[in-house]
Amino acid sequence: MALSNWATRMAPDQAESAGGLVVIGVQSAIAGGAAAGGVMFGIGGTVTVFTISGIVLVASALLIVLRVKAPRHNVVS
């Protein structure tokens, strides 16, 4: 996982603690997503959950396409 790799590179002498923070971050994101999905389901049912999820997915894809640039490779002849 890229986040674990980054965390251990940033704190090589504290790899165990950095790994714990990564776990806390991932678990918190899962819990937050589950809570948000539960609230959406309570408000509008499955249609609302899938509609909002689709909007977030499309917005995320557009953000990636517009902001992430492919690395340039120099071709040596």
Side-chain angles (χ1 to χ4, degrees), residues 6-69:
W6 174 81
T8 55
R9 285 184 183 200
M10 293 297 105
D13 57 332
Q14 299 278 330
E16 188 77 22
S17 297
L21 288 174
V22 169
V23 170
I24 288 171
V26 170
Q27 294 296 325
S28 296
I30 291 170
V39 169
M40 286 187 282
F41 182 77
I43 291 172
T46 56
V47 173
T48 301
V49 173
F50 283 110
T51 301
I52 293 176
S53 298
I55 291 168
V56 170
L57 176 69
V58 169
S60 299
L62 284 174
L63 182 66
I64 290 169
V65 167
L66 296 174
R67 300 290 302 204
V68 175
K69 296 180 180 168

